[in-house]
């Protein structure tokens, strides 16, 4: 009986980790045969867990949504991560979930073992949250987008972009968070191209539409793709520079949403940045405190030469007899 109960808990944990499982995969994980998996699934159903099954070679098992939320099985690190995440949500950039996050956190702490409660309490006692100054997004909007990404369903939503209001019809790929804003990467059905949308500019909760077949993503690394879209693509002028410092050193001095960084070798980093003017790039890169070479555009080198002469002239004038400014 103990062996069966332990196996049922393991099966439930597996169903909560991944959306779809084949009977053969579950049998291999549990080290039993497929017939035993079917019997265990029936036992979970008798306990109220809504386990769905699809027949056929490509079929499998899926933990569905029921009338009530079933107990979740969390290991120590997962429980602490959930507690910390709930506290962050209570003071974060997602609106509409502050009170529910506090209630959920209270329930979680009530059942936490003492060893985990001490870890969570230590984090709470020694952590402060600053009120965000950026636009907040509605939790229902994020939930709808995340669900559509998971289930490969198209979305329709009104969007307040830089060029005015519009209606967008997209195939969502994923969400990215910069620490200040949420972004959606999606295939724009009407424009037939990949786009990056600021979620706080989606003015109404998205409407879920038909399912779609996932496309080849625009990049292997979604985070690097979003970084490039935010830091380079929107601007008139773009520059590529070789920074004479390792990637981690350069990354520590710039936000990933303001520059695009690529490792060249252990001592050099390729930095790509965009700006409304080359003058701004020159002033900005001068404050990095890192030696660099200009790859492109060649016009940037001339702007740097002019800035350098201006700064050198100012440095030479220190202590010199300079006439006072006129009235």
């Amino acid at each position: 009986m103990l062996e069966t109960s332990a196996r049922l808990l393991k099966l439930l944990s597996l169903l909560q980790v991944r959306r779809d499982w084949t009977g053969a995969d579950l049998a291999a994980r549990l080290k039993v045969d497929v017939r035993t998996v079917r019997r265990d699934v029936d036992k979970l159903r008798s306990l109220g867990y809504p386990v769905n099954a699809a027949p056929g070679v490509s079929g499998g098992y899926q933990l569905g949504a029921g009338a009530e939320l079933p107990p979740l099985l969390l290991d120590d690190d997962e429980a602490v991560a959930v507690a910390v995440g709930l506290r962050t949500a209570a003071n974060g950039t997602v609106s509409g979930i502050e009170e529910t996050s506090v209630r959920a956190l209270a329930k979680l702490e009530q059942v936490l073992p003492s060893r985990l409660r001490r870890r969570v309490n230590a984090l709470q006692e020694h952590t402060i949250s600053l009120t965000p100054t950026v636009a907040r997004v509605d939790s229902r909007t994020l939930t709808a987008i995340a669900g559509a990404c998971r289930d490969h369903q198209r979305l329709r939503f009104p969007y307040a972009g830089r060029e005015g209001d519009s209606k967008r019809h997209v195939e969502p790929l994923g969400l990215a968070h910069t620490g200040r804003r949420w972004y959606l990467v999606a295939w724009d059905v009407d424009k037939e191209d990949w786009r990056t949308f600021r979620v706080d500019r989606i003015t109404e909760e998205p409407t879920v539409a038909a399912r779609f077949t996932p496309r080849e993503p625009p990049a292997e690394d979604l985070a690097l793709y979003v970084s490039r879209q935010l830091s380079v693509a929107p601007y008139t002028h773009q520059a590529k520079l070789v920074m004479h410092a390792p990637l981690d050193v350069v990354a520590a001095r710039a936000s990933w949403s303001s520059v695009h960084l690529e490792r060249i070798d252990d001592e050099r980093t390729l930095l790509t940045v965009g700006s409304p003017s080359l003058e701004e790039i020159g002033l900005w890169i001068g404050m990095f405190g890192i030696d660099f070479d200009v790859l492109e555009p060649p016009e940037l080198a001339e702007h740097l030469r002019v800035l350098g002469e201006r700064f050198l002239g100012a440095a030479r004038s220190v202590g010199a007899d300079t006439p006072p400014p006129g009235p």
Side-chain angles (χ1 to χ4, degrees), residues 45-118:
R45 289 169 176 160
S46 68
L47 294 172
Y49 292 96
V51 182
N52 303 323
V57 177
S58 60
Y61 296 100
Q62 178 185 105
L63 187 62
E68 297 180 357
L69 180 69
L72 298 176
L73 301 179
L74 304 173
D75 62 26
D76 287 4
D77 290 338
E78 289 171 341
V80 172
V82 170
V84 174
L86 288 170
R87 179 171 177 81
T88 303
N91 298 281
T93 58
V94 182
S95 64
I97 63 172
E98 298 91 340
E99 294 184 7
T100 52
S101 297
V102 171
R103 292 200 304 270
L105 181 59
K107 291 180 180 179
L108 180 60
E109 289 183 330
Q110 184 177 1
V111 297
L112 281 178
S114 58
R115 66 182 188 280
L116 299 184
R117 191 177 299 112
R118 285 195 297 269

Side-chain angles (χ1 to χ4, degrees), residues 241-253 261-271 288-293:
L241 311 168
V242 175
M243 310 298 294
H244 293 266
L247 176 62
D248 57 343
V249 174
V250 180
R253 305 190 185 189
L261 303 176
E262 298 176 55
R263 179 183 179 276
I264 298 177
D265 53 38
D266 291 343
E267 300 298 330
R268 297 180 301 164
T269 302
L270 177 63
L271 182 150
F288 250 72
I290 297 175
D291 292 337
F292 63 92
D293 299 322

